[in-house]
Structure formats: structure tokens, C-alpha cells
Amino acid sequence: MKEFKASLLREKFTLVPEQDDDKPIIAMSNRIVIPLTSPDGIDNEEFVVRTQNMHSCVRMAASIVKEFTERGTLVHRAHPVPWKIMWNDVIKGYEKNWNEDIWCAIYFRGRIIYQSGEHHPFLDIIEQCDANNMNNYGQSIKLAEDIFAQAGKTVSIKHDSNIALVIHTTPEVAKSGIIVRAATGTTTFNYSAKPNHASEQKINAYTSLTVAASFLEAIQLAFTVGLLHRKKEFKMIERFSEEDKKFDRSKTRMGNLNRAIGKYEEKFDVNYRPDRPNFNNMVEKAKEVATKILMPEIKKRIDSGELDSRDWIV
């Protein structure tokens, strides 16, 4: 592709029924729209990916872009696209082993063409409304409210969203901006990549998406590592337990992601603004937040005599 642009959106829909006795319904998702155009401009199609977490959403988008780049249009094929294989490749390893709630839904023209795991059915309605509104996403919520009203159930829909990733690539340059809000604070940075003289390798969109996914996942894993590290220090994790194994795997996974980003930096000239995220520093911040989160449990253990109060300041 000559050019690729996409944004990752974190969304929360709150459906509030008119009847006071009915509880609000919440549907959450990460969403990315994938516009695909062949270099000659003949093939042109667009997919929407929704998943439970940010990095899997971007990584699945990368897989779709790669499939289109290497094999052409996905819709009009003699043999079906191997969606299940593509998704399994995205989540294999750490995600599949430690995230039992992971799910994915892929849409084309408002119709779901692949799904794995369980997602809220309201998300399907929104995608149908978006397709009917000619991709006027802001009006899709109003249309969804009208659909509920026609079905005899009046609801108001509140939509909270924020952009987590913006990416724009050409063969000459890739530009990305990442904004991740977490318990340890908001991580915001931009980076650009250009081919260097040593490798002379051109930029491609799917590699750039994969690297962005690595950043998103590593930032989230930093909190997991910090939290589990504190729990081990506080003797809240038994040796050889599932949490103990997850702690080790999380550290390994974060290290692998950091190395993958490093390889990208070796192939291309990468510039960061303000600075490249330091995942070790993020782990240390997560430890501080984890101490506050775990303090009620620490107090209980002190009161029960399981912990010596002289070892803790509470």
C-alpha cells in the first residue's frame, strides 16, 4: 500500500433504560478501522476489528494488512480467508495462556465475518448502524437509540471514548502516537521511523502496527509485573502457584517485547518525542501503586498476626 492511516479507539457504551428499575447495560471494546487499498487503486476494502484489549486489536489489524499486502483482496477470494488461524497466531503464547476473557470480532460493511470468544451483542448493532450511516460514526449512536425505540425499549446511550493510537505510514516514513491511561498515570509519546542506509528496507504498515502493539502490550504488562512483584514481596503469592508462574511469564513476555522493539530500531532510524518509554521505570511506578492497592489486605494480615506490624508502616 502506498499509504495507511488508522486510529485505535477505546470505547465504553452505557445503555440507560427509561424504566428506573432496569439497570444500565455497559459494553466495552477496543476498535480499529482498517482501510485497505492496493497500489494500483483497484482493490479497495475496509474492515473493523474489535477486541477485548488494545494490543490484540492492533496486532489483528496488522495481520489483516499483511494478508492484503501479500495476497490481495480478502473479500473476493476463491478460498475463504483463514480468520481463525490469523487470530490464533495473534493470541498464541502469553495471551492465550493467561487471558481467558480474550475475544475478537471482525466486521465488513457492518456484518460480522469472524468472531472468537464472547463480546457484547450491542457492539454488533453499532457496527450495523455505522454501515447504514455511511461510516458517520457519531450518528450511529442516535440510530441505535431509534432501533431500540422501534423495538419498544426506550434507552439513552452514553458513549465514552479516547484514542490510544494514531498511525500513518508510507514506504518512506511511519509516524505513530500512543496515549495509554493506566493506574500508574498516562503514558504519551510519539515516534517516527525512516529507512536507514544500512538496511535500505522500506516501511510497511503491518510491521509498524506490530511494533505499536508491542509498545501497548509492554506498557500494560509493566503494571502486571509491578503488582505481582509486590504481591510476592508481601508473601501473597505461593511458590509454584499459577500467579507465581504468571509473574515469571509476564517478565519474560515484557522482555521479549522490548527486544522486538529494539530490532525494529536497528532496522530503521527511529526518533521519539519526548523519549522512548522505559519499561523498568514503569514497573517501579507500578510497585508504588500496588502497595496502595494491597494495603487493605496487608492490614488484615497484620490484624490476624500473619504479618509482624513492626515490618510495615500502614
Side-chain angles (χ1 to χ4, degrees), residues 50 103-105 107 112 115-124:
R50 288 186 181 272
W103 59 265
C104 172
Y107 304 84
I112 193 162
Q115 60 181 323
S116 175
E118 296 183 7
H119 67 279
H120 200 289
F122 173 75
L123 301 173
D124 299 344

Side-chain angles (χ1 to χ4, degrees), residues 152-170:
K153 191 173 180 66
T154 304
V155 299
S156 62
I157 301 172
K158 181 181 178 182
H159 181 216
D160 296 313
S161 67
N162 57 76
I163 294 175
L165 167 69
V166 177
I167 187 167
H168 178 199
T169 72
T170 67

Side-chain angles (χ1 to χ4, degrees), residues 45-60:
E45 53 194 22
E46 184 175 277
F47 297 89
V48 175
V49 176
R50 288 186 181 272
T51 66
Q52 180 231 16
N53 59 36
M54 294 183 291
H55 53 271
S56 295
C57 196
V58 177
R59 208 164 267 128
M60 189 61 188

